[in-house]
Amino acid sequence: MDVSVRFLDDLRDAVGPQHVLTDADVVAGYTSDWTGRFVGSTPGVVRPSNVVEVAAIIEACRRADVALVPQGGNTGLVGGSVPLAGELVLSTERMTAITDVDADSGQLTAGAGATLAAVQTAATEAGWRYGVDLAARDSATVGGMIATNAGGLRVIRHGSTRRQVLGVEAVTGSGRVIRRLDGLVKDNTGYDLAGLLCGSEGTLGIVCRARLALVAPPIGVVTALLGFADIESAVRAGGLLRRSVAGLEAVEMVLAPGAFLVSEVTGSSPVLDPIPPVQLLVEAVGPPDPTDSLSAVIDEVDGVLAVAVATDARRSQALWHVRDAHTEAIARVGIPLKFDVTLPSRRLAGFCREVVDAVAEVTSRSQTWLFGHLADGNVHVNVTGWTTAEAERIERAVLARVAEAGGSISAEHGIGTAKRAWLTTNRGTPDVEVMAAIKRALDPDGICNPGVLLPLD
Ligand SMILES: Cc1cc2nc3c(=O)[nH]c(=O)nc-3n(C[C@H](O)[C@H](O)[C@H](O)COP(=O)(O)OP(=O)(O)OC[C@H]3O[C@@H](n4cnc5c(N)ncnc54)[C@H](O)[C@@H]3O)c2cc1C
């Protein structure tokens, strides 16, 4: 997209010349996504430090009719944070302050560019804990996590990002500043605008700050890795654990091919050796200390082939490794096609088998890697070894099976550019029409991430 000298001058006036990057080598770092699958180009990267500067950027974009793509940690996996049609990039990397930490109410205010790890540290220092965790914690930002309504490893206990957000400060695409950062736990005064921005993927406006609720810190953490012969046994075990273990926070699933890959790529020895066909990573927290209750339930679980238990942080990390390292290990094999789907739990095992066969029917050269958040019915389907000509057929094979099984095409990564063609199939026309009406109301000029989420007209 060509932009005028006048437009770039307006941006420089808004944020200071040193924060408008136009050098080709420098901006190149902002034009491709984490997977390497989505690569775009941009006339510039603008780096505001606060809401006033963001509002000025929005005004400049509206005047000049220039679209922008908000970018946080750029760990999104659906091509939503990169300028695929030559948009301006608005990076939140300078908006990292964490302020107003309130140890009494268990709340803090975080800038959109603060990383999840920084929020977690601030929460711990205040004697609390942040309820969301995911493997991209060192890069993923508050703004990106709100925009994608990120889920992660503890959704069964604390919910997704939406549940942690008490209010936001944001600039809509129409240039209006909305602000509700007082942290009111009860506030029934009309539409929940913060909730609306959760999962909006940068299409309605820019999140600048958020008031986040914290959760009580765990006292006593027990982690267990359980081996099973098949997914059916693992799903049954997941159900028993959920109804029997108070303080259950995570039930994550990995399969043998991914576990072998993690060992090979990271050079680590598997905790369960020989590697079983299916492993569940289970974590429960106290108070009260969950070790005995989790052990008692594990004794009742049918079909357990092997168990490892950890009650200290170092050993627990060793158990988590096989799950945490999956995304990065798969990325080392090749650029993955990524699908992040939820299924009703009774369809999960069948889907996992069928989807591997369905992809193999499109191309026998590909490999399908499955892992995910079993307790949420959420499977990450990653396919490597595809060609551009095969990508669309693989996408159809996977997503059609999800639709048939009554699932969702995006459990937590969002729609981005990667899945927008499938949104209407999954949500239905009335839902998508209402979403489009909301988009028109908040972003009448269509400048905020126009290539993302909503299907092409
Ligand atoms: C190793 C790895 C593990 C992951 N695990 C999980 C997981 O368990 N659960 C999960 O949900 N996700 C996971 N993800 C995906 C990713 O981390 C999340 O989607 C995260 O929320 C993205 O945050 P980000 O700051 O990197 O956002 P970006 O990638 O920069 O942006 C994501 C989207 O948000 C928009 N956006 C960014 N900032 C703002 C803002 N301030 N205002 C408005 N819009 C904005 C962008 O335009 C884009 O559409 C994982 C990714 C990796 C690489």
Side-chain angles (χ1 to χ4, degrees):
M1 184 181 286
D2 286 334
V3 295
S4 66
V5 173
R6 162 91 195 274
F7 172 69
L8 291 173
D9 283 344
D10 285 349
L11 296 182
R12 290 186 184 104
D13 286 347
V15 298
Q18 68 276 36
H19 298 304
V20 181
L21 313 176
T22 52
D23 183 272
D25 288 341
V26 177
V27 302
Y30 297 81
T31 55
S32 60
D33 77 324
W34 189 90
T35 64
R37 181 179 170 204
F38 299 98
V39 183
S41 63
T42 183
V45 176
V46 60
R47 302 185 305 160
S49 66
N50 59 43
V51 66
V52 175
E53 294 181 4
V54 171
I57 294 165
I58 294 277
E59 273 321 304
C61 287
R62 294 185 69 198
R63 267 198 311 274
D65 194 23
V66 173
L68 61 83
V69 173
Q71 188 178 99
N74 205 9
T75 65
L77 299 172
V78 288
S81 55
V82 283
L84 295 179
E87 298 92 337
L88 177 79
V89 173
L90 185 154
S91 166
T92 57
E93 64 197 4
R94 293 177 63 223
M95 301 166 69
T96 55
I98 295 179
T99 61
D100 302 289
V101 181
D102 182 344
D104 293 332
S105 63
Q107 298 182 5
L108 56 77
T109 297
T115 62
L116 170 59
V119 171
Q120 289 173 335
T121 303
T124 306
E125 282 170 4
W128 291 81
R129 186 191 198 201
Y130 186 54
V132 172
D133 189 25
L134 41 94
R137 58 187 76 79
D138 291 326
S139 308
T141 63
V142 167
M145 293 180 66
I146 291 175
T148 57
N149 186 28
L153 307 168
R154 299 193 200 120
V155 171
I156 46 168
R157 184 121 194 264
H158 301 300
S160 302
T161 298
R162 182 177 281 122
R163 208 199 286 172
Q164 330 301 320
V165 176
L166 293 165
V168 295
E169 173 186 75
V171 185
T172 67
S174 61
R176 285 196 174 78
V177 174
I178 54 174
R179 185 180 293 117
R180 205 122 178 106
L181 294 175
D182 297 318
L184 302 177
V185 175
K186 291 186 164 179
D187 182 17
N188 282 347
T189 51
Y191 301 143
D192 177 5
L193 300 181
L196 184 60
L197 289 174
C198 292
S200 63
E201 302 191 42
T203 60
L204 302 179
I206 312 298
V207 175
C208 298
R209 292 191 290 166
R211 188 75 182 156
L212 301 175
L214 307 176
V215 299
I219 299 176
V221 178
V222 58
T223 313
L225 203 51
L226 312 181
F228 295 93
D230 50 47
I231 298 174
E232 280 85 352
S233 309
V235 169
R236 275 196 301 277
L240 178 64
L241 288 159
R242 286 182 63 199
R243 63 180 186 268
S244 318
V245 181
L248 189 71
E249 289 213 325
V251 184
E252 298 287 304
M253 178 180 75
V254 299
L255 304 188
F260 277 112
L261 180 70
V262 166
S263 282
E264 191 183 305
V265 166
T266 65
S268 56
S269 313
V271 172
L272 298 186
D273 194 7
I275 290 176
V278 183
Q279 296 180 60
L280 284 191
L281 187 295
V282 177
E283 192 159 278
V285 304
D289 188 323
T291 311
D292 290 343
S293 66
L294 181 62
S295 302
V297 177
I298 290 174
D299 286 345
E300 279 175 43
V301 173
D302 282 338
V304 178
L305 303 178
V307 186
V309 176
T311 51
D312 66 273
R314 199 184 49 83
R315 177 83 178 137
S316 163
Q317 223 172 2
L319 265 55
W320 269 103
H321 174 72
V322 68
R323 170 64 184 87
D324 261 354
H326 250 71
T327 306
E328 302 213 39
I330 292 165
R332 297 272 282 276
V333 180
I335 294 179
L337 282 179
K338 285 187 166 288
F339 305 94
D340 158 39
V341 303
T342 351
L343 285 305
S345 95
R346 65 183 188 289
R347 307 294 293 269
L348 195 74
F351 171 82
C352 289
R353 268 190 304 274
E354 285 163 21
V355 78
V356 173
D357 295 342
V359 174
E361 268 171 36
V362 177
T363 161
S364 55
R365 282 185 323 278
S366 66
Q367 277 173 293
T368 302
W369 311 92
L370 302 173
F371 63 102
H373 313 292
L374 179 116
D376 312 324
N378 179 189
V379 189
H380 296 312
V381 182
N382 285 219
V383 182
T384 53
W386 46 278
T387 63
T388 311
E390 292 157 351
E392 205 183 313
R393 284 167 56 216
I394 294 173
E395 195 164 279
R396 201 169 307 127
V398 175
L399 297 181
R401 245 149 216 88
V402 174
E404 273 164 33
S408 160
I409 59 169
S410 173
E412 50 179 23
H413 296 161
I415 297 294
T417 48
K419 311 281 176 329
R420 65 191 295 204
W422 287 84
L423 185 66
T424 308
T425 312
N426 202 235
R427 286 292 296 264
T429 302
D431 275 27
V432 174
E433 281 175 356
V434 172
M435 288 191 214
I438 293 170
K439 164 84 173 163
R440 281 193 299 276
L442 271 69
D443 181 25
D445 304 306
I447 57 164
C448 291
N449 236 359
V452 163
L453 183 58
L454 291 167
L456 293 162
D457 290 332

